[in-house]
Amino acid sequence: MVVTYKIRIFVIMAQYKTYKVAGHLFRVEMDVESPIWERMEEAYGPFEVSEQKEDMLFSLNISDEDTDGNAWSQEMQPVYSNKGTVEPGFIELSVYKSPEGHCFEFTQPQSDTINGRLFVTRDLKQARMALYGSPIQRWLTFNTGVNFCFLLATSCNRTVLAHASCVTYGGKAYLFLGKSGTGKSTHSRMWLNALEGVVLMNDDHPVIRISDDGTAVAYGSPWSGKTRCYKNMQAPVGGIIRISRALHNKARRLSPIQSYASLMTSFSGMTWVKELADGRDRTIQDIISSVPCWVMECLPDHDAARVCCEAVTNV
Amino acid sequence: MKIIEGFRLRDVMGQATVIGEGVDQVNFNKLITLNSSAAYLWEQVEGKEFDVNMLADLLVDRYGIDRETAEKDAAAVAGQWQETGLAK
């Protein structure tokens, strides 16, 4: 009699999950024990999919320490740094390039404490990131890292990550642009309070993607700033409105060049890399050729929402 | 003089427009539109060292205008580029 012993050894160390944002699939891989998985649940959970495809937009591999130190030491050339210009509470960024790809180092202002390092291959499809510091710092840096990977990998795929607050109304999405502190979120809130049927889609980084038929469609994302609004929803873009503080409420339609200037400043990207700049340029022109853009000179009041809504929905 | 690295000439909805896309233009939040002759000059001298004489030569060759007018126009274009920080 033959007895067969079947021995199964489970060595589970890393796990990955797949997410779909604006129709783009990406994968995050890290230690199954990492506390980041739990923190991801709220913001990324709504975007998790079981769908598996070989061709991901990008794959990001996270390690809690720099196990692959070579990625940073090889012929690194400094490209950009905002050190010394960042206010406390924000993360400083330094960008380097190597023959293999792009390296990003995240540091705390006024100190040389490194919070994380992100390496992205030249084709923008493979990324790995090392995280340092306290659990909350690791989480914040991780979140920024995924955001960067998405921004870079979508640049040439008719997609932009907009710095905007976005609401839906009457089946269309309206995006409010403006520098931090101008009142994008406040204006969204005025729409929510003053008008019927308004839904907040995302309060910091909605995505705009040009669909195959040329329509600009807005999508929710896992990146919503201080507001916990991580809706997996989409709507064709009805208007893009730059918020400008004033002592009156008045909406003004922008010319194509003015529209381009308005969108350009709110769609960040690594434009010093020509292919990425070309990608952003194409997406902006696709958007402005079909979506009306405006500047809304306004007060932070309910009347501002009514005046704005009336102008942008009656095109 | 030379066009500063990072500025790119693009066709924005049919209008020749210079956009600051380089590392040094991260905070250059302006767009500069060019008329067709300025855009032509830009394309010819981008990435090269040039002077007003060279620009004037280009205008004479391309548009067949007289030397004096070409020099005046070339000086005006070069002056504008320097003033707006596109060339130095």
Side-chain angles (χ1 to χ4, degrees):
Chain A
M1 187 177 136
V2 180
V3 180
T4 313
Y5 294 96
K6 285 188 178 170
I7 303 170
R8 281 184 171 176
I9 304 170
F10 292 97
V11 186
I12 304 170
M13 285 167 66
Q15 95 173 357
Y16 65 78
K17 288 188 179 177
T18 306
Y19 303 91
K20 194 177 195 175
V21 175
H24 295 294
L25 285 171
F26 63 88
R27 178 181 291 178
V28 175
E29 186 175 347
M30 65 188 148
D31 193 321
V32 71
E33 303 283 344
S34 174
I36 288 175
W37 287 122
E38 203 184 320
R39 287 186 190 268
M40 283 179 82
E41 208 43 56
E42 185 185 6
Y44 290 81
F47 300 92
E48 191 182 336
V49 288
S50 53
E51 207 171 316
Q52 296 304 333
K53 221 174 69 178
E54 278 310 298
D55 193 28
M56 293 277 153
L57 178 73
F58 67 88
S59 295
L60 172 64
N61 196 297
I62 303 292
S63 65
D64 271 347
E65 55 203 80
D66 192 357
T67 48
D68 195 359
N70 293 333
W72 327 111
S73 55
Q74 54 183 338
E75 295 174 55
M76 294 248 296
Q77 242 182 296
V79 175
Y80 166 81
S81 175
N82 63 10
K83 276 193 173 181
T85 64
V86 175
E87 288 171 36
F90 290 85
I91 296 178
E92 283 180 341
L93 169 69
S94 300
V95 185
Y96 301 86
K97 68 175 179 189
S98 81
E100 281 76 33
H102 312 279
C103 307
F104 305 86
E105 190 171 76
F106 304 95
T107 47
Q108 283 183 52
Q110 280 131 31
S111 83
D112 281 327
T113 311
I114 295 169
N115 285 349
R117 282 173 166 157
L118 170 68
F119 172 78
V120 184
T121 52
R122 273 173 69 98
D123 67 1
L124 311 170
K125 285 186 162 293
Q126 301 294 325
R128 50 183 186 272
M129 189 172 197
L131 302 169
Y132 310 94
S134 70
I136 184 76
Q137 276 162 354
R138 285 171 195 239
W139 158 246
L140 293 173
T141 313
F142 164 83
N143 208 14
T144 307
V146 186
N147 183 292
F148 269 50
C149 290
F150 187 85
L151 173 92
L152 293 173
T154 55
S155 296
C156 296
N157 285 293
R158 303 181 93 189
T159 305
V160 285
L161 192 59
H163 183 212
S165 182
C166 178
V167 297
T168 59
Y169 176 79
K172 295 252 173 95
Y174 297 92
L175 287 90
F176 306 122
L177 314 178
K179 282 188 190 154
S180 298
T182 320
K184 303 183 287 291
S185 298
T186 306
H187 194 73
S188 279
R189 239 158 296 287
M190 294 305 134
W191 276 57
L192 289 164
N193 293 340
L195 304 158
E196 287 285 322
V198 177
V199 174
L200 184 67
M201 180 189 274
N202 186 285
D203 210 17
D204 198 48
H205 275 120
V207 179
I208 301 176
R209 182 173 184 175
I210 308 297
S211 57
D212 292 339
D213 68 359
T215 317
V217 180
Y219 294 81
S221 83
W223 309 288
S224 191
K226 288 175 189 145
T227 312
R228 298 171 145 192
C229 180
Y230 313 106
K231 294 199 187 89
N232 188 354
M233 60 186 286
Q234 66 183 78
V237 182
I240 304 180
I241 302 111
R242 179 159 293 273
I243 300 299
S244 169
R245 282 194 200 173
L247 295 170
H248 55 265
N249 292 319
K250 187 173 175 246
R252 205 157 41 78
R253 179 89 183 253
L254 299 175
S255 72
I257 294 288
Q258 289 169 330
S259 302
Y260 192 101
S262 171
L263 269 49
M264 187 183 88
T265 45
S266 295
F267 300 169
S268 52
M270 220 162 59
T271 52
W272 54 83
V273 179
K274 189 168 182 299
E275 306 91 89
L276 303 185
D278 290 348
R280 182 183 74 167
D281 171 67
R282 186 178 171 200
T283 312
I284 293 178
Q285 299 214 37
D286 282 344
I287 295 171
I288 60 180
S289 59
S290 68
V291 175
C293 297
W294 308 75
V295 64
M296 178 68 202
E297 296 160 358
C298 63
L299 292 155
D301 63 12
H302 288 177
D303 195 43
R306 287 185 210 105
V307 170
C308 184
C309 180
E310 169 143 0
V312 303
T313 56
N314 285 307
V315 182
Chain B
M1 77 189 86
K2 206 174 169 184
I3 287 169
I4 294 168
E5 209 187 311
F7 285 107
R8 294 200 187 101
L9 178 64
R10 293 193 180 276
D11 178 333
V12 174
M13 314 294 277
Q15 166 70 61
T17 308
V18 175
I19 302 171
E21 296 180 340
V23 173
D24 298 329
Q25 287 90 31
V26 167
N27 295 313
F28 184 89
N29 49 359
K30 284 192 279 272
L31 287 186
I32 291 155
T33 56
L34 302 184
N35 64 21
S36 59
S37 51
Y40 170 72
L41 292 177
W42 183 286
E43 282 165 356
Q44 299 307 306
V45 302
E46 199 176 1
K48 296 178 206 159
E49 197 60 50
F50 66 93
D51 57 23
V52 171
N53 262 326
M54 251 176 88
L55 297 182
D57 289 344
L58 286 163
L59 288 175
V60 170
D61 289 351
R62 166 101 177 183
Y63 299 100
I65 52 174
D66 65 82
R67 182 77 207 174
E68 202 181 328
T69 313
E71 271 175 27
K72 230 173 65 192
D73 291 352
V77 168
Q80 277 170 10
W81 288 358
Q82 283 176 305
E83 260 170 57
T84 43
L86 301 180
K88 73 174 176 195

